[in-house]
Amino acid sequence: MGHHCCSKQKVKRGLWSPEEDEKLIRHITTHGHGCWSSVPKLAGLQRCGKSCRLRWINYLRPDLKRGSFTEQEERTIIDVHRILGNRWAQIAKHLPGRTDNEVKNFWNSVIKKKLISQGLDPNTHNLLSTQQITKNKNYQKDNNHSSSVFTVDTSPCKEILPNLSNTFEFQNPNLTQNQNHLVEFSSCSNSILSSGFGILNENCMWASNINNVFEQSLMMKSSGAVQEDQMQKEEQGVLLEDQQMMKRKLVGEDIINDDQEQLIYRVNDDEQLLNNVCDHQSTDINNAMFDDSSNIDFDFMDSALVPPAIYCNMNSIDHIAWDC
DNA sequence: AAGTCGTTCAACCGCGTCTAC
DNA sequence: AGTAGACGCGGTTGAACGACT
């Protein structure tokens, strides 16, 4: 049974031959694809239009980047996936030259396993639950992997908080002692510290790509049409008023402060924001609140920023987030 | 050398959405 | 407003390949 768009045609299925590729490339480069359902006939192919479209988008179009994913691309995928979930097409838009199919396959074959081996749930990016950990233990046992202790390189924080120790080690209490193999975030492909960080109290730190969260928190609150408009503006380098306001609030003018959480943010590649953070750390940051009149989705901010990657000193905040 | 198993990734399937009529 | 065709997306499948026995 073929697709409804080409059910009357006799269509070939399976892998494409070089001859078929050549026919498709020649047709599209000279005429464009137009209506995909008419492409097979015009290009002289015994294929369904849908199959032609897929072959072109995923394999033949000239702007595709071939070869292995770079570490930066891997970090981007993890960052965006944490926010968007399995929206492969949206994730692929952040990776020029990569297709949704490619990103999806890379996620399923590589990244997913890495996150699991680091004690993270690949769906939620939270730490794995006890049951999941048990499953993971079996996985690790079977596959000779383990990673219950995380060593976090704090060097990116030094300019802000020079008294921080050089590294923190965080152990998931759900994992056993005999699994204490170290995972160094600075050397592994985990996205977290590469893209920014925050600090909760003195000895507890988390990290996230704050820029993505800003963008997504705005989008989550917006209607579809407005989202599209925002994305277009972002692509054009227009920083939306809400985003500017949000960043100001987070980095200097109105930093959240309660007994448990003092949030200080740094955003890579944004010196102004970094300066704001540095300027602000010696000042009093009491009683700041977000109002609800902006377009920022605070529930989303909360879920996107805090739970996925809280790595803390277990002496000060025992067992936080390990079981979430 | 042959067989088995696990992994990767191109391609397919089915469904939801969009658009033109 | 309803319908059909086209498109786009995410999940799944299976061929190809390499590692291992």
Side-chain angles (χ1 to χ4, degrees):
Chain A
M1 197 176 81
H3 300 126
H4 64 263
C5 63
C6 48
S7 55
K8 290 172 191 167
Q9 295 172 259
K10 194 176 105 188
V11 292
K12 185 173 174 245
R13 291 168 59 184
L15 295 178
W16 281 63
S17 67
E19 292 76 26
E20 288 178 305
D21 282 346
E22 197 186 331
K23 281 183 181 178
L24 186 58
I25 290 169
R26 197 184 317 134
H27 173 75
I28 292 178
T29 50
T30 53
H31 302 101
H33 63 72
C35 172
W36 281 108
S37 57
S38 63
V39 165
K41 194 179 173 185
L42 295 170
L45 290 162
Q46 306 260 307
R47 291 276 182 175
C48 150
K50 204 167 177 174
S51 180
C52 292
R53 175 183 162 271
L54 211 63
R55 183 66 179 168
W56 176 258
I57 289 172
N58 285 341
Y59 200 81
L60 297 177
R61 63 187 165 97
D63 58 328
L64 285 180
K65 187 196 279 185
R66 312 299 304 179
S68 309
F69 282 79
T70 64
E71 279 195 30
Q72 178 57 50
E73 286 178 315
E74 186 176 326
R75 283 192 291 267
T76 302
I77 292 170
I78 295 170
D79 278 340
V80 182
H81 184 276
R82 183 169 58 235
I83 296 159
L84 296 178
N86 294 358
R87 292 165 67 186
W88 307 115
Q90 291 298 312
I91 295 170
K93 285 178 184 170
H94 291 77
L95 301 159
R98 302 293 188 182
T99 69
D100 54 348
N101 209 33
E102 210 175 359
V103 171
K104 179 175 58 185
N105 284 332
F106 185 60
W107 177 270
N108 286 325
S109 62
V110 179
I111 299 178
K112 208 169 170 178
K113 291 172 189 169
K114 274 191 187 174
L115 291 179
I116 290 169
S117 76
Q118 290 167 14
L120 295 171
D121 183 337
N123 296 318
T124 63
H125 296 251
N126 288 336
L127 289 156
L128 288 164
S129 67
T130 308
Q131 291 128 324
Q132 289 169 315
I133 291 290
T134 305
K135 273 165 63 180
N136 186 36
K137 278 180 192 171
N138 293 333
Y139 170 85
Q140 290 174 343
K141 193 179 165 190
D142 294 344
N143 295 278
N144 201 24
H145 295 148
S146 70
S147 59
S148 60
V149 176
F150 301 96
T151 298
V152 178
D153 177 8
T154 62
S155 56
C157 318
K158 282 293 182 182
E159 51 194 305
I160 298 174
L161 292 175
N163 293 329
L164 276 178
S165 336
N166 288 333
T167 59
F168 287 114
E169 287 187 5
F170 305 118
Q171 178 170 0
N172 185 337
N174 293 324
L175 298 181
T176 58
Q177 287 299 319
N178 60 11
Q179 292 178 296
N180 289 353
H181 292 223
L182 297 180
V183 172
E184 293 190 18
F185 279 13
S186 53
S187 60
C188 75
S189 58
N190 193 297
S191 66
I192 291 165
L193 281 180
S194 64
S195 53
F197 66 86
I199 295 163
L200 292 157
N201 290 330
E202 281 185 1
N203 297 315
C204 176
M205 60 185 295
W206 62 268
S208 182
N209 185 330
I210 197 80
N211 273 326
N212 280 348
V213 176
F214 284 135
E215 290 161 13
Q216 294 305 322
S217 67
L218 287 166
M219 283 193 280
M220 294 289 282
K221 186 113 176 188
S222 307
S223 69
V226 175
Q227 277 183 27
E228 285 299 315
D229 184 44
Q230 284 178 345
M231 288 172 72
Q232 282 173 10
K233 284 181 180 175
E234 283 163 21
E235 282 168 11
Q236 293 160 14
V238 177
L239 189 60
L240 298 177
E241 194 178 321
D242 269 338
Q243 285 177 280
Q244 289 174 326
M245 181 189 70
M246 183 69 173
K247 288 184 179 182
R248 280 201 305 274
K249 282 189 174 186
L250 286 172
V251 301
E253 294 171 14
D254 297 304
I255 290 181
I256 299 174
N257 181 35
D258 66 31
D259 291 336
Q260 289 300 314
E261 296 181 346
Q262 293 184 358
L263 304 185
I264 302 174
Y265 301 85
R266 168 187 162 179
V267 179
N268 280 359
D269 305 321
D270 193 332
E271 285 186 14
Q272 183 57 47
L273 291 175
L274 182 58
N275 290 339
N276 286 346
V277 173
C278 293
D279 290 348
H280 193 80
Q281 65 166 315
S282 59
T283 65
D284 188 22
I285 49 174
N286 289 324
N287 303 320
M289 296 288 291
F290 288 113
D291 64 58
D292 196 34
S293 60
S294 73
N295 285 331
I296 293 154
D297 185 333
F298 292 103
D299 290 339
F300 178 78
M301 285 288 289
D302 184 49
S303 63
L305 282 171
V306 181
I310 293 182
Y311 305 103
C312 60
N313 182 324
M314 302 302 288
N315 294 325
S316 60
I317 306 182
D318 289 338
H319 296 242
I320 186 168
W322 291 117
D323 279 320
C324 60

